[in-house]
Amino acid sequence: MDYVAALTPSAVMAVAFTALIVTIVKSQGGPNKAKEDAAVDAAFARADAAQAASQPQPDAESRESRESRA
């Protein structure tokens, strides 16, 4: 009976994983697809804006000194 105890967790995980994949595939598309896509696009836009805001902007003096050296 040790083999049953050894195989049970693997079988349960396989069934759970299959159910997860089926749920993911079934939830793709449908009436909420546009709303979900818009939410993801908005999240990407917020992340890009935050990243751009956190990068230091070169000031005018350093830009002028680089141009005069070139």
Side-chain angles (χ1 to χ4, degrees):
M1 293 305 282
D2 288 339
Y3 62 90
V4 173
L7 293 176
T8 300
S10 300
V12 169
M13 289 300 291
V15 169
F17 183 72
T18 302
L20 175 68
I21 297 302
V22 168
T23 303
I24 289 171
V25 169
K26 282 185 176 181
S27 68
Q28 298 300 307
N32 291 329
K33 182 171 177 36
K35 185 171 69 172
E36 292 169 358
D37 289 346
V40 170
D41 290 341
F44 279 136
R46 282 193 305 270
D48 289 343
Q51 184 178 13
S54 67
Q55 293 177 348
Q57 299 295 324
D59 58 1
E61 182 180 319
S62 64
R63 200 176 320 128
E64 289 173 0
S65 64
R66 275 186 274 144
E67 290 173 357
S68 65
R69 281 187 259 148

